[in-house]
Amino acid sequence: MTTRHFLTLRDLSSDELRNLVKRASELKDIRNRGEVYEPLKNKVMSMIFEKSSTRTRVSFEAGMAQFGGHAMFLSPRDTQLGRGEPISDSARVISSMVDVVMIRTFSHKLVQEFAANSSVPVINALTDEYHPCQLLADMQTYFEHRGDIQGKTVTWIGDGNNMCHSYINAARQFDFKLNIACPEGFDPDMTLVEENKERVFITRSPQEAVTNSDLVVTDVWASMGQEEEQKEREEKFTGFQVSPELMDHANQDALFMHCLPAHRGEEISMDMMEDPRSVVYDEAENRLHAQKALLEFLLVK
Ligand code: CP
Ligand code: NVA
């Protein structure tokens, strides 16, 4: 059997994604009941981090431990990856010793090259282009609070970044409409938009975008690796802030999500995280359950 990878949401079928999100809620119940479930006993995951992380590292490491396995943190500072060892050699060697590899890095091509040379599943834990693991948690959170997202309207406010790209993929795989409100010059990848043009709509008006929406999502204005653009972006993104007042233009039962970390006073108002429509902390916790469902899907036959 060929090795399955999870580099974008397109690597799984719509049915597989739906089942995975439902399974994530079951795994959450199992953990909340205090039941021990260890399908990955003696399995090892390598976690390669070339960018910072709180949620991704803690959720994968805790998830592997709860499943009876082990997770190993690798930073480029301490491995030969940081000294220029070819990705293909690293992939062949690391994958010969472990059962699954998770990578957070800058270049999406690097993750693709690693996967092409890996004998075990590779999981994209964020690249400059995509963040599919976050979308598993976001979809699980929507399903848990409001039921099926099929046919709903989601609005993305802010940068056309890695999270926005994954929302475009999610719109296709979970069958929802996606409004994107971003400042000029910060549009998402236009090829991706074009491929999904029957369900993805771009506007410059946050208020127009959120009208009739069931879910509103945002993210930082400057992503990891764009720190030097912070000041310039703060000016260009003025007006693209999600606040309770903006949420009032959405549907009455609309939810608010943010992958975190959040910058209060920039992409969200000071009070948005604590607004009753915000489910950001459930969303963050669901990283654990959704990724356990992903690990089970990739590793338990
Ligand atoms: N949302 C997310 O991926 O968080 P971390 O950067 O803390 O992993
Ligand atoms: N777009 C953000 C997401 C962080 C989880 C970044 O890439 O830094």
Side-chain angles (χ1 to χ4, degrees), residues 1-2 20 37 54 98 102 138 155 162 191 204 216 255 288:
M1 222 186 90
T2 53
L20 200 151
Y37 173 57
T54 296
V98 304
M102 182 235 85
D138 287 20
T155 290
N162 44 10
T191 312
R204 305 288 169 222
V216 177
L255 296 176
L288 171 69

Side-chain angles (χ1 to χ4, degrees), residues 1 26 91 152 229 246 279 294 297:
M1 222 186 90
E26 286 169 16
K152 303 284 183 187
E229 297 172 36
L246 183 69
V279 289
L294 175 65
F297 172 84

Side-chain angles (χ1 to χ4, degrees), residues 51 104 126-127 131 161-163 219-220 222-224 259-261:
K51 287 179 175 175
R104 167 170 285 199
L126 184 146
T127 62
H131 193 8
N161 62 11
N162 44 10
M163 276 295 298
D219 186 13
V220 289
S223 286
M224 289 181 276
C259 63
L260 305 183

Side-chain angles (χ1 to χ4, degrees), residues 168 171 178-180 192-193 196-202:
I168 297 176
L178 180 66
N179 297 330
I180 298 172
L192 197 57
V193 172
N196 296 285
K197 61 175 186 286
E198 68 288 355
R199 60 177 78 250
V200 175
F201 305 92
I202 296 189

Side-chain angles (χ1 to χ4, degrees), residues 55 218 242-244 247 256-265 267-284:
R55 281 144 288 270
T218 192
V242 181
S243 61
M247 289 295 296
F256 169 71
M257 293 190 199
H258 187 314
C259 63
L260 305 183
H263 293 186
R264 291 172 176 84
E267 77 277 2
I268 53 163
S269 60
M270 300 307 285
D271 50 357
M272 193 58 235
M273 298 270 281
E274 307 304 332
D275 187 271
R277 292 163 286 194
S278 164
V279 289
V280 292
Y281 296 110
D282 288 348
E283 179 190 4

